[in-house]
Amino acid sequence: MGDIPRELVALFEPQVEQLGVRLERRGGIWVGEARGSVATGSMWLCAPAPHCLVLCHDVTPLEDMPLFEGSLGPYACVCTMGDDAVACSRDCGLPIRFVGPGGGAHRLHDEVATFVERGPRSLSSRLLAGHVYRSRSVIMLPDFFDELDRSYPGEFGGLFSAFDGTWGPEATGAIRHALGNIPAGPPLGPGGSLGLLSTVTSLMASLAAGGGGAGQDEGALAGHARRLLSAAVEKGGVPPSVDELARKLYVSRSRLCDAFKRETGQTVGAYARQLRMERACRLLGDGDHTVSEIAVLLGYPSPSAFCHAFSDFTGMSPRAWANKT
């Protein structure tokens, strides 16, 4: 579908195929109708920016049917859903988090929710005949937030993960206002795609200005990093690097390093070394493994590399430590 990334296409393609929707491109908008024997209703979508999709559908199945969906990788979503769509989302296991009521001009009658999917997944749910499955969604891949962070360093750090958290009153109002600005029908007139881009970027700016990126605060961010490091060390092997941790946590390297140092008083590398040495001390104290075996369990390339690292950390050789304990 042109320049829409495959990861985004995969999020609506199964619905299109299973509900019998025929999509046609009209400028920057894709519009479709379900007119077959499976369902009635409409769907439209637009990719106003790379790695971002606005998707709206309002369909009614004509018979009970299973719906199989899935994702190819992580994404964040903010959406409105009618009651039947909420039930469908719960049925298939989407980790939706409802956004509280908001005031202002845009009072939405449907439920408002955000969520984050953190990896590839296959989902299934059951659609019921005569029920109306209605939603408006803004879907963003991690690359969308990476580009914001590159263009405005430090301003959008942690915003991806914030969609998996709890929003304050200002953020709630901004989310409901933005979704209220997305029309139920496709904006086919001049400037329609640009208007959607304006809505999305204004929402991101409002969330960042209101501390939306702090939805994953520094304590939580450092805690996630500590748990990933600890799990890696306990499983054996080399702990993830700073860059690997940043990718897993969907934050910039600098934000991770700053948050980790402020929360723990250590660098990520120093903390990882401490975890490895603490496990080495436990293994040596148990007396069930040789030095060579412990080197392998902790991911060192050779026993001598392990001995050198252990001596630097404790001031003693592994054998001396084992004899002492």
Side-chain angles (χ1 to χ4, degrees):
M1 296 189 68
D3 55 357
I4 301 179
R6 180 62 190 162
E7 293 88 345
L8 291 174
V9 174
L11 297 176
F12 63 82
E13 187 175 49
Q15 301 174 36
V16 170
E17 293 178 349
Q18 294 170 72
L19 294 170
V21 178
R22 296 178 60 86
L23 286 173
E24 297 180 355
R25 187 166 190 168
R26 300 184 185 177
I29 312 289
W30 289 84
V31 181
E33 297 284 338
R35 295 177 177 172
S37 60
V38 178
T40 61
S42 62
M43 174 187 292
W44 68 268
L45 58 96
C46 174
H51 315 299
C52 174
L53 181 74
V54 176
L55 173 64
C56 299
H57 62 74
D58 189 337
V59 294
T60 303
L62 299 178
E63 58 186 28
D64 291 358
M65 60 177 290
L67 182 69
F68 301 99
E69 303 174 89
S71 60
L72 299 180
Y75 67 92
C77 180
V78 54
C79 58
T80 67
M81 294 183 288
D83 291 341
D84 292 323
V86 169
C88 179
S89 297
R90 286 174 165 161
D91 185 28
C92 69
L94 283 177
I96 54 177
R97 294 177 176 270
F98 293 112
V99 175
H106 297 281
R107 296 183 182 275
L108 300 172
H109 299 293
D110 289 343
E111 295 282 2
V112 177
T114 67
F115 65 90
V116 169
E117 281 278 43
R118 296 192 175 274
R121 232 180 16 137
S122 296
L123 307 172
S124 64
S125 57
R126 187 159 188 82
L127 304 185
L128 303 177
H131 287 236
V132 180
Y133 295 91
R134 179 181 63 249
S135 71
R136 278 178 278 180
S137 304
V138 180
I139 303 166
M140 299 147 288
L141 301 178
D143 287 345
F144 175 79
F145 298 93
D146 289 344
E147 290 184 1
L148 285 174
D149 201 46
R150 282 193 292 269
S151 299
Y152 307 94
E155 295 184 23
F156 293 90
L159 191 53
F160 176 91
S161 290
F163 284 84
D164 193 28
T166 301
W167 302 99
E170 290 186 9
T172 294
I175 289 170
R176 298 181 73 88
H177 180 84
L179 290 171
N181 279 334
I182 297 176
L188 298 176
S193 298
L194 183 60
L196 293 173
L197 175 61
S198 175
T199 295
V200 172
T201 54
S202 294
L203 173 60
M204 297 302 112
S206 296
L207 294 179
Q216 174 171 264
D217 61 33
E218 292 191 342
L221 178 58
H224 287 318
R226 289 198 302 270
R227 285 190 290 275
L228 289 173
L229 290 169
S230 179
V233 169
E234 292 301 318
K235 288 179 181 177
V238 180
S241 67
V242 174
D243 288 332
E244 289 170 333
L245 279 176
R247 284 194 295 270
K248 287 178 180 290
L249 295 170
Y250 309 106
V251 297
S252 66
R253 175 192 173 96
S254 60
R255 174 172 165 77
L256 172 61
C257 290
D258 291 346
F260 199 92
K261 185 65 179 291
R262 274 194 287 269
E263 290 296 316
T264 68
Q266 294 178 278
T267 65
V268 173
Y271 187 84
R273 285 191 295 274
Q274 177 180 319
L275 288 177
R276 291 175 99 181
M277 292 301 103
E278 287 175 348
R279 187 175 186 221
C281 289
R282 294 196 303 272
L283 292 171
L284 288 166
D286 291 341
D288 296 331
H289 300 281
T290 66
V291 170
S292 296
E293 289 171 341
I294 293 173
V296 172
L297 286 172
L298 293 175
Y300 285 94
S302 67
S304 61
F306 165 63
C307 290
H308 181 74
F310 191 88
S311 297
D312 280 350
F313 186 80
T314 65
M316 302 174 66
S317 70
R319 292 190 188 281
W321 179 274
N323 291 333
K324 176 185 175 182
T325 57

